[in-house]
Amino acid sequence: MIEEETYLREGLGELAEHYRHILSLLGEDPHREGLQQTPMRVAKAMQYLTKGYLQDPKAILEKALFHEEYNHMVIVKDITFHSLCEHHMLPFFGKVHVAYIPNGTITGLSKIARVVEVFARRLQVQERMTQQIMECIQQTLKPMGVMVVIEAEHTCMQMRGVEKVNSVTTTSAFSGVFKKAETRQEFMNLI
């Protein structure tokens, strides 16, 4: 499926010119055949990869709120994501696992994945992204508790610096009933 380019925004041409200049500074000829369209391609890619700035994650959840007296754990696991590390603007990617225990309100399951996508499509650090997803769901659904676990590989560690290819970083954030060790353990066992 080809997504309509609704993520494109003001400054695209200027961004492409900056990338043309970057190519020159790296010692390349931005006018050679293989690189002529690269600055615009990179500018469009960067606007796509940061389209989360254009979206409101709370509004996404609010579009699909339903009254339901279910009060057991709801888990959406293995939500894949790709983001850009704000320190080096290199990709980090992995899986997000989200659980919440409703308090009279549920949301469409795809909305949880969309919230993950909104926060991933911003310049990020994994720790903040974990917290932002948890807080958004907690504030919008007002459940008994939320827990988010992210497992990710960071290319800034794999391609440069320490160059540790097989390292995985795990972060978690939780609220409400997930402050109890047994509730957190149940979630961890289920993922």
Side-chain angles (χ1 to χ4, degrees), residues 24-67:
S24 294
L25 292 172
L26 293 174
E28 268 292 352
D29 174 8
H31 301 290
R32 76 173 169 85
E33 184 181 12
L35 292 176
Q36 287 176 5
Q37 301 302 315
T38 297
M40 184 55 75
R41 285 188 198 109
V42 175
K44 285 181 176 181
M46 290 305 292
Q47 286 197 350
Y48 177 79
L49 294 171
T50 59
K51 69 181 181 172
Y53 293 118
L54 304 174
Q55 300 169 305
D56 179 356
K58 288 181 183 179
I60 289 169
L61 288 175
E62 289 170 347
K63 285 182 183 175
L65 293 180
F66 307 100
H67 177 74

Side-chain angles (χ1 to χ4, degrees), residues 124-159:
Q124 275 292 8
V125 294
Q126 183 175 333
E127 297 87 345
R128 181 188 322 116
M129 188 171 113
T130 307
Q131 189 73 23
Q132 288 174 328
I133 294 166
M134 186 274 297
E135 288 173 354
C136 178
I137 295 168
Q138 181 65 48
Q139 292 168 5
T140 309
L141 298 182
K142 297 178 180 29
M144 289 185 254
V146 179
M147 185 159 179
V148 176
V149 172
I150 299 180
E151 301 168 297
E153 296 182 46
H154 293 253
T155 60
C156 57
M157 280 184 57
Q158 295 175 341
M159 297 174 61

Side-chain angles (χ1 to χ4, degrees), residues 94-185:
K95 293 184 179 187
V96 179
H97 314 289
V98 177
Y100 74 97
I101 298 177
N103 192 16
T105 303
I106 62 170
T107 189
L109 298 176
S110 69
K111 303 308 181 197
I112 301 290
R114 290 184 190 280
V115 166
V116 168
E117 184 73 5
V118 168
F119 288 115
R121 294 299 184 189
R122 299 175 180 185
L123 297 180
Q124 275 292 8
V125 294
Q126 183 175 333
E127 297 87 345
R128 181 188 322 116
M129 188 171 113
T130 307
Q131 189 73 23
Q132 288 174 328
I133 294 166
M134 186 274 297
E135 288 173 354
C136 178
I137 295 168
Q138 181 65 48
Q139 292 168 5
T140 309
L141 298 182
K142 297 178 180 29
M144 289 185 254
V146 179
M147 185 159 179
V148 176
V149 172
I150 299 180
E151 301 168 297
E153 296 182 46
H154 293 253
T155 60
C156 57
M157 280 184 57
Q158 295 175 341
M159 297 174 61
R160 52 158 304 284
V162 296
E163 297 184 36
K164 299 302 176 202
V165 176
N166 295 316
S167 63
V168 175
T169 301
T170 303
T171 52
S172 68
F174 49 87
S175 66
V177 295
F178 286 97
K179 291 180 181 176
K180 295 178 184 175
E182 59 270 15
T183 310
R184 287 195 309 276
Q185 189 58 52

